Amino acid sequence: MNHTHRRQLFWNSLVIVLGNALYALTVALFLEPAGLVTGGATGIALAFGRLTGLSVSGFLLVFNLAMLVWGWAVLGRAFALNTLASSILSPVFLALWERLLADRVLTEDIFLCTVFAGLGIGVALGLVIRAGASTGGMDIPPLVLQKWFRLPVSLTMMVFDIAILLVQALFSPPEQVLYGIVMVILHTIVMDKMLLLGDSRTQVKIVSARSDEILDAILEQIDRGVTILHGEGGYTHEPTEVLLSVVSNRELPKLEKLVHSIDPECFLIVSRVTEVSGRGFSLEKQYQ
């Protein structure tokens, strides 16, 4: 393993630890005091703790380890190792925060608890997943069912989460249930945004009869790479060249001015894209 790989492994490991610490802190500071409902293994542990008065972190640890063993047996050693960190770190940090905070209530405003719980959990899960780790717990049963019965993971995961929320709704005040649903929606949105977090770029496709001149101008004046795509007119079936280039957002006005100065009648398609952890670009929106 070279120096770069060791450094990447160190930073990924650090992010996984920090992500799980933040997740557990959010549960201890906002979810437990406000009595909010949530899905996943944490939702089951919170329901167990409210019904029995026993340790939420202790139940979460036992549950996660049981799911981990099941995942190891069905999905293999590589998956289990990928899940091991979060399966243990999350309940251990939760036990630590419960002890350090000693039932401290930061705020009794259920709206504030909902907002900050959604933000905290969304950021925490986003960090862990971006670092390449699985969050474990209730992520495992849908994967097992997919392997056994070819059931879609997204569908079974949604069914499990709804079932966990409904069970908690049976013995929770309606207000807490409604705020809990809002919190789940919020942390899902925040997590998705975290996974798309990266360096924003602009992808430009240019269709012009003077593509050679435009290509040379971009290379010389903007100093950006250009890919030539070979297309065909849908109506005329005449061959045409489409230039593809990715520039920074600040370079876009300069590029547009340059292209239109060469060919005022050219056709531009501009797409906002985001580089995700060096693994390429994902499309956000498109306009022309």
Side-chain angles (χ1 to χ4, degrees):
M1 184 182 293
N2 59 37
H3 176 71
T4 301
H5 288 163
R6 285 197 299 268
R7 184 173 62 182
Q8 186 63 44
L9 179 61
F10 169 78
W11 283 114
N12 285 345
S13 301
L14 181 61
V15 169
I16 292 170
V17 172
L18 292 177
N20 279 282
L22 175 60
Y23 180 89
L25 179 62
T26 302
V27 172
L29 275 181
F30 301 110
L31 257 70
E32 288 186 291
L36 295 172
V37 303
T38 187
T42 302
I44 297 175
L46 289 172
F48 175 84
R50 288 162 190 162
L51 286 174
T52 64
L54 298 177
S55 169
V56 173
S57 57
F59 178 87
L60 185 60
L61 178 61
V62 172
F63 183 86
N64 281 351
L65 290 178
M67 292 295 102
L68 180 66
V69 172
W70 189 25
W72 190 313
V74 178
L75 302 173
R77 177 173 175 269
F79 173 82
L81 292 176
N82 188 47
T83 310
L84 179 63
S86 294
S87 297
I88 296 177
L89 287 174
S90 179
V92 167
F93 273 119
L94 182 56
L96 175 64
W97 294 129
E98 288 175 340
R99 182 177 294 274
L100 292 177
L101 296 173
D103 298 323
R104 180 182 177 183
V105 177
L106 196 61
T107 176
E108 295 182 355
D109 189 322
I110 191 170
F111 176 76
L112 288 176
C113 287
T114 300
V115 172
F116 280 95
L119 292 174
I121 291 177
V123 171
L125 293 179
L127 288 173
V128 172
I129 295 172
R130 279 178 67 96
S134 168
T135 55
M138 283 303 295
D139 287 354
I140 295 175
L143 295 173
V144 172
L145 291 177
Q146 181 195 43
K147 183 173 182 178
W148 282 352
F149 306 109
R150 302 299 179 187
L151 296 176
V153 172
S154 58
L155 175 62
T156 51
M157 189 172 292
M158 181 179 67
V159 170
F160 281 131
D161 277 339
I162 291 174
I164 294 168
L165 290 171
L166 289 176
V167 169
Q168 294 174 84
L170 296 176
F171 53 86
S172 299
E175 184 183 48
Q176 290 176 330
V177 174
L178 294 174
Y179 272 115
I181 294 173
V182 172
M183 186 271 297
V184 170
I185 295 172
L186 179 59
H187 84 60
T188 302
I189 294 173
V190 173
M191 181 182 68
D192 288 342
K193 294 298 183 183
M194 282 291 298
L195 295 179
L196 288 175
L197 190 63
D199 294 328
S200 180
R201 293 288 186 270
T202 301
Q203 180 190 91
V204 183
K205 295 188 182 84
I206 306 166
V207 182
S208 171
R210 304 175 65 180
S211 58
D212 289 340
E213 296 176 53
I214 293 174
L215 186 151
D216 292 338
I218 293 174
L219 292 176
E220 293 176 6
Q221 300 185 40
I222 308 269
D223 194 24
R224 289 293 180 182
V226 182
T227 299
I228 301 175
L229 307 176
H230 297 285
E232 180 180 314
Y235 180 73
T236 63
H237 296 287
E238 293 182 359
T240 185
E241 291 184 345
V242 180
L243 303 181
L244 172 65
S245 184
V246 176
V247 299
S248 70
N249 296 334
R250 292 185 177 182
E251 290 171 330
L252 178 60
K254 181 180 178 180
L255 175 63
E256 290 179 326
K257 183 177 180 180
L258 174 66
V259 170
H260 283 114
S261 69
I262 298 173
D263 183 3
E265 297 181 356
C266 72
F267 186 73
L268 274 75
I269 300 175
V270 180
S271 307
R272 299 296 187 192
V273 293
T274 302
E275 187 178 14
V276 184
S277 300
R279 296 192 295 271
F281 290 91
S282 63
L283 180 66
E284 287 185 350
K285 62 181 179 179
Q286 187 176 82
Y287 59 92
Q288 68 182 49

